[in-house]
Amino acid sequence: MNKLITIERHFVEEQKRHPQATGELTDLLYDVAFAAKLVRREVVRAGLADILGMTGTTNVQGEEVKKLDLFANERIINAIGQHGRFALMGSEENEGTIIPPKNETGRYVLLFDPLDGSSNIDVNVSVGTIFSIYRLTGDDPKKADINDCLQKGSRQVAAGYVIYGSSVMMVYTTGHGVHGFTYDPTIGEFLLSYENITTPARGKYYSINEGSTEQLNEPTIGFLDWLKKEDEATGRPYSTRYIGSLVADFHRNLLTGGVFIYPATKKHSEGKLRLMYEANPLAFICEQAGGRATNGSKRILDIEPADLHQRTPLYIGSREDVIVAEEFERGER
Ligand code: AHG
Ligand code: MN
Ligand code: MN
C-alpha cells in the first residue's frame, strides 16, 4: 500500500527540509486547509441547500454576488482570522482591507478570492478558492496597513488554491515546488496526491473566452490563429478548453500543459482578472512548476500593485506557449 501523507505531515516535513522556514508558515497553511474544508462542506451541498440564488447585492467589482461567495468569505475570515496569525486580510468581496477578529500577533497578510468561478455553482461545475500570503513589511502588526497588502507578487511567501471539483484538491507553493493534495471525505483529511508538480513546456490546450472575439485586439487574434494552425512539430492545432472558473482552467492546464489567456480587450483595457488574489498566486505556482505568467509584456510577479482590486491581462501556463503570445503582443509575429 502506498504511504499516506496528510497535508499536516507534509507541511511539517517540508519545514524540516528547509531549516530557514519558520513554523509560522506551516500553521498559516494549515489554517487555510481548515477553512477550505468548511467551504467544501457547503459547496458540495450547494444543490441541496436553500443557499443558492442571488443576494441582490453586487461586490466591489460591480458583479452579482451569490450567497455562497459571501458564505465562503465569512468562513475564511472567521476560521483563519481567529488564530492570530494574520494582521490583515484582503478579499475580492471586501472593498477595503479586513482586520481579522484576532490580529494583534499576526505577522502575515492574506489576500484571497473566496469563491472563484461562482457563476458555475448552480450548474454543478468546479469552483475554487485562491489565496496569497505575504509577510508584513514592518514588525508591528498594529501598524499593518494597505501597503502591506500591496506588495508585488515576487514577495509572496506562499500561495495556492483549492479546487472544488469531482474531487477536492488543495495545491500550494512556498517557493519550494508545487504540491497537490486530494481531500478524502471519509477521514476528513487532505492527502498528498501530487508531489513536485511540473507543467509541460508546451501545452495541448488553450483557454480563452472566444465569444468575445470582436473585443479582442489584433495580437490576441494573431495568437489564436497560430494556436489553431496545423503544425506537427509543436503539436498544433491545440484543443480549446474553457470552463469559466479560473482555478479549474488553470489546474487542468497546469497538469496537462496549456495556455490560459484573459487579455486586455477593447472594452477592458486592463483585462478582467484581479492581480492580487487571482493572477499573482497562480503566477507564483505556475513559475514554480516551470511555467510562465505575464500580462503580455511583463512578468506578473514584477507588477508593482497600486490597488487591492486592480485588474491585469493574464497569459499563464506552458512556458513556450506564453512566449509565443508575447511575441505576438510585441508585433514580432
Ligand atoms: P469570480 O467568480 O471570482 O468573480 O471569477 C470569475 C472569473 C474567473 O474565474 C474566470 O476565469 C473568468 O471570470 C471568466 O470570465 P468570462 O465569463 O468573461 O469568460
Ligand atoms: Mn475569481
Ligand atoms: Mn470570486
Side-chain angles (χ1 to χ4, degrees), residues 63 92 113 115-118 209 242 244-246 260 262 272-274 278:
E63 296 156 347
E92 181 192 19
D113 178 353
L115 212 58
D116 172 66
S118 43
N209 184 344
Y242 192 73
S245 288
L246 174 62
F260 175 97
Y262 210 114
K272 174 183 181 187
L273 299 172
R274 277 56 64 110
E278 291 182 320

Side-chain angles (χ1 to χ4, degrees), residues 134 151-156 173 175 275-276 279-305 310-316 319 322-323 326 330:
Y134 293 85
Q151 302 186 55
K152 53 184 182 179
S154 57
R155 297 183 60 89
Q156 289 172 103
T173 186
L275 175 66
M276 301 310 290
N280 269 336
L282 298 186
F284 189 15
I285 289 175
C286 190
E287 287 195 3
Q288 280 290 313
R292 188 174 173 97
T294 74
N295 67 359
S297 58
K298 189 170 181 168
R299 183 181 176 226
I300 291 289
L301 297 181
D302 286 337
I303 297 174
E304 205 63 70
Q310 93 186 49
R311 297 172 194 265
T312 178
L314 181 63
Y315 298 76
I316 190 166
R319 199 179 57 246
V322 175
I323 287 173
E326 288 164 39
R330 288 197 298 268

Side-chain angles (χ1 to χ4, degrees), residues 51 158 332:
I51 204 165
E332 290 169 9

Side-chain angles (χ1 to χ4, degrees), residues 87-292:
L88 211 56
M89 293 177 171
S91 161
E92 181 192 19
E93 304 298 343
N94 295 67
E95 184 151 15
T97 52
I98 307 155
I99 300 175
K102 197 165 162 258
N103 76 323
E104 311 79 28
T105 51
R107 305 232 168 270
Y108 293 85
V109 168
L110 178 76
L111 304 180
F112 63 101
D113 178 353
L115 212 58
D116 172 66
S118 43
S119 66
N120 279 321
I121 297 163
D122 44 5
V123 288
N124 212 351
V125 169
S126 303
V127 291
T129 296
I130 314 176
F131 66 92
S132 168
I133 300 175
Y134 293 85
R135 207 166 273 123
L136 287 186
T137 55
D139 291 330
D140 185 356
K142 291 190 200 76
K143 292 199 178 126
D145 65 16
I146 182 73
N147 293 315
D148 291 289
C149 297
L150 297 179
Q151 302 186 55
K152 53 184 182 179
S154 57
R155 297 183 60 89
Q156 289 172 103
V157 293
Y161 58 85
V162 181
I163 174 166
Y164 312 97
S166 51
S167 61
V168 174
M169 277 192 72
M170 177 162 159
V171 176
Y172 87 101
T173 186
T174 55
H176 303 288
V178 180
H179 311 290
F181 301 80
T182 304
Y183 185 71
D184 183 340
T186 63
I187 54 171
E189 292 278 6
F190 281 101
L191 301 173
L192 182 63
S193 49
Y194 293 82
E195 201 168 16
N196 283 315
I197 297 172
T198 54
T199 196
R202 239 182 224 298
K204 52 180 183 176
Y205 297 132
Y206 74 96
S207 311
I208 182 172
N209 184 344
E210 227 169 338
S212 56
T213 296
E214 299 228 331
Q215 288 297 322
L216 298 179
N217 296 316
E218 276 310 309
T220 315
I221 293 170
F223 181 51
L224 292 181
D225 288 344
W226 181 86
L227 290 162
K228 295 180 217 170
K229 220 169 232 124
E230 285 189 11
D231 177 57
E232 227 171 287
T234 53
R236 286 176 289 142
Y238 293 177
S239 293
T240 319
R241 293 285 186 278
Y242 192 73
I243 295 170
S245 288
L246 174 62
V247 167
D249 280 308
F250 175 80
H251 181 71
R252 180 204 50 246
N253 290 358
L254 180 73
L255 297 183
T256 59
V259 56
F260 175 97
I261 315 142
Y262 210 114
T265 64
K266 287 179 188 138
K267 223 192 257 166
H268 303 289
S269 58
E270 295 303 320
K272 174 183 181 187
L273 299 172
R274 277 56 64 110
L275 175 66
M276 301 310 290
Y277 40 81
E278 291 182 320
N280 269 336
L282 298 186
F284 189 15
I285 289 175
C286 190
E287 287 195 3
Q288 280 290 313
R292 188 174 173 97

